[in-house]
Amino acid sequence: MLIYSILFLLSSNAVSLRRDKSILYARIVITILICSFILCSNSYYSDFHDKGLGFFGGFYQTSALTHTFHLFIFVITSLILVLNAFYPRKVWSEKYSSLNKLVSYKLVYFNSFILNKMSEQFRIIEYPLLILFVVIGGVFLISSSDLISIFLSIELQSYGLYILCAVYRNSEQATSGGLTYFLLGGLSSCFILLASGLLYGNSGNTSFDGLYVINNISNISENMVSNILTSINSLYDNYYINFSLVIMSTGFLFKVSAAPFHFWSPDVYDAIPTIVTTFVAVFAKISIFVLLLELVHYTTNFYASQAQGDIINQVENNSLFNYSWTFTLLLSSFLSLIIGAVLGLTQFRIKRLFAYSTISHLGFILLALTINSIESIQSFIFYLMQYSITNLNAFIILLTVGYSLYLYVEKENNPGENKDSQMVDKNNSPIQLISQMKGYFYINPVLSISLAITLFSFVGVPPLIGFFAKQMVLSSALDSGYVFMALIAILTSVISACYYLAVVKQIFFDKSDYTINPVIENLSLKANIVRNTKVQENININANNITLSSSLTTVISVLTLIILLFIFIPQEWLSMANILALILFNC
């Protein structure tokens, strides 16, 4: 479905003469994703989904885990595309707001600035097409089970993200951010390709199944141990394989911006337009972490049977498997927790703050991934899903705040302070500084409360969904003996609460720097109420008639309610994560 859709959209884009048709393409892509969701969900309950099934000679495989995250990324991408598929503002008239009048009447007026029609995001027809390329790369990457398919899939996803970052051709900041992302993303791809070459050179195959067989010897019968171990020693060097996987994990950590390979993400997040940052910050990590989950699980889940005690002793005496490559992930988790919490305290730009917030949360995700127990995998799946939703809500609210300030201008409190010099690309990213959020509660209290709920979920305040995610990770860490890492996670979580609460303090307790724009305040436009192509009435439009689009407010409301009311409906999410973890361990 996705591939055929790309072919049709490519043909359509090639002959399209109007750049302002991007909104139509975005709606088409949302429809395509909904159809893909239905097709994927119809095959979810097949007889083979619990054990998995390989395709194309083992290059790809499908299972309950891959199906679940395919469905998840279809939903996430559709929500992100809502930002491009509908105009952010609308004109509202109380007299014609009833349901029957909304269906039968149409409001016609001529002012593209109210709708924000001239914004560049609605004039880039390639944007939805690039999103589809990235989605296909993510779908393939989640299902990859071969070194070749992994590299091809991750490059398909990455190339789309590189172009997406630099697609705003008139923005110097976006071009700079896209180039930075491309250069460092290419470097991380070199690590992945080098590791793939080393694994192939040592094992002679590119399939992950062969790698799993080489590493997992827990089912070898006792009377065959000595011969098998001798042959393994002579043919394969496990330290070599571990070293290769360390290099590969370095490439993946670059891609997800985990410490100590995080240095590019704050600059890129801040440079590219916020609407692109929303997709890059949320989508890029899901597929890579699902692939890492399968790789970590099947290469470190040794000695599953307690009846193989003699085998374990002989393996240890032969100095095999004494080092696990997942120690790299644990070290990255530790650094991500520290760096994300400490460096976030010094930020005054909102997207850089979100970047360091993401790095801090990656520390929790990597900690759950490294432990590799049933409880930790359950917490990993749940944390990844809830954080993607919460992060998406935060960025959508940030964009919506910028759209809602259309009616306002900043007061000249400090004439000597030139904020415009700090907001070079303010047309594409209207909200860049944390200080721009001062007193926003007095402008839009509902949106301010939604943002506060989202930030409190980042902190882990009960009973929000973020609290349960952190609690599950910390519980699995303590049960597995990672006491020091659990203490570090708790400490850094408390530290990171400082910069979240600083944002909340400015929104709710500081005085606003905004006042009604005199031009907008005196706005008076003529509009026609039309029914069946006939004008029924002429009305006047003023500033009170301009409101946020229903598409934005609906998405924010749904996501905020999920974050807020999770405590009342926890069973479905937790059961799904638990079942996926059990299936993964039982396969």
Side-chain angles (χ1 to χ4, degrees), residues 226-508:
S226 59
N227 294 331
I228 293 295
L229 289 178
T230 302
S231 64
I232 290 178
N233 269 320
S234 61
L235 294 177
Y236 305 109
D237 186 352
N238 189 258
Y239 284 109
Y240 197 84
I241 294 175
N242 270 311
F243 180 68
S244 302
L245 291 174
V246 167
I247 297 176
M248 181 174 286
S249 66
T250 300
F252 287 133
L253 293 175
F254 251 114
K255 296 286 187 184
V256 298
S257 71
F261 313 107
H262 66 284
F263 42 82
W264 61 269
S265 63
D267 295 330
V268 171
Y269 281 22
D270 193 44
I272 60 180
T274 306
I275 197 165
V276 179
T277 311
T278 305
F279 191 75
V280 173
V282 176
F283 184 90
K285 297 171 178 56
I286 299 173
S287 55
I288 294 177
F289 271 121
V290 176
L291 175 67
L292 267 177
L293 169 61
E294 297 181 344
L295 183 62
V296 168
H297 175 72
Y298 288 117
T299 56
T300 60
N301 191 28
F302 305 129
Y303 324 129
S305 174
Q306 295 297 325
Q308 310 296 336
D310 294 336
I311 300 177
I312 297 174
N313 293 331
Q314 293 197 42
V315 170
E316 291 177 348
N317 292 334
N318 281 272
S319 298
L320 283 171
F321 309 108
N322 286 338
Y323 169 74
S324 175
W325 67 278
T326 54
F327 177 77
T328 307
L329 302 180
L330 188 64
L331 180 61
S332 178
S333 171
F334 174 77
L335 294 175
S336 297
L337 290 169
I338 298 294
I339 291 173
V342 175
L343 295 186
L345 295 172
T346 62
Q347 303 305 313
F348 63 93
R349 299 181 69 87
I350 187 70
K351 287 195 290 183
R352 291 182 69 90
L353 179 67
F354 282 170
Y356 283 107
S357 166
T358 299
I359 294 168
S360 178
H361 286 279
L362 289 178
F364 281 91
I365 296 175
L366 289 170
L367 177 59
L369 182 64
T370 308
I371 297 170
N372 194 31
S373 62
I374 293 180
E375 185 183 359
S376 71
I377 297 305
Q378 178 185 358
S379 63
F380 169 85
I381 295 171
F382 179 69
Y383 202 110
L384 182 59
M385 286 187 168
Q386 71 83 23
Y387 181 68
S388 299
I389 290 174
T390 310
N391 207 23
L392 173 62
N393 195 39
F395 277 104
I396 293 179
I397 292 175
L398 189 64
L399 278 165
T400 308
V401 169
Y403 296 142
S404 68
L405 293 178
Y406 169 79
L407 303 174
Y408 299 85
V409 292
E410 290 192 74
K411 299 175 184 176
E412 295 293 336
N413 291 333
N414 299 313
E417 181 183 357
N418 185 11
K419 288 188 176 181
D420 289 344
S421 63
Q422 299 174 323
M423 297 184 292
V424 179
D425 207 19
K426 60 181 179 180
N427 291 330
N428 298 319
S429 300
I431 300 296
Q432 297 181 29
L433 306 176
I434 298 176
S435 59
Q436 290 179 272
M437 309 286 287
K438 278 184 179 180
Y440 185 74
F441 175 75
Y442 302 101
I443 296 175
N444 193 325
V446 176
L447 201 58
S448 300
I449 292 172
S450 296
L451 181 57
I453 291 172
T454 305
L455 294 178
F456 284 143
S457 181
F458 282 151
V459 175
V461 174
L464 304 178
I465 193 171
F467 165 77
F468 295 98
K470 288 188 175 182
Q471 184 267 338
M472 290 171 66
V473 173
L474 294 174
S475 176
S476 61
L478 292 174
D479 289 345
S480 300
Y482 290 81
V483 179
F484 176 74
M485 286 299 299
L487 292 174
I488 292 295
I490 294 171
L491 179 62
T492 54
S493 185
V494 172
I495 294 174
S496 63
C498 295
Y499 53 74
Y500 292 127
L501 294 177
V503 177
V504 174
K505 181 252 182 187
Q506 293 207 31
I507 293 174
F508 287 88

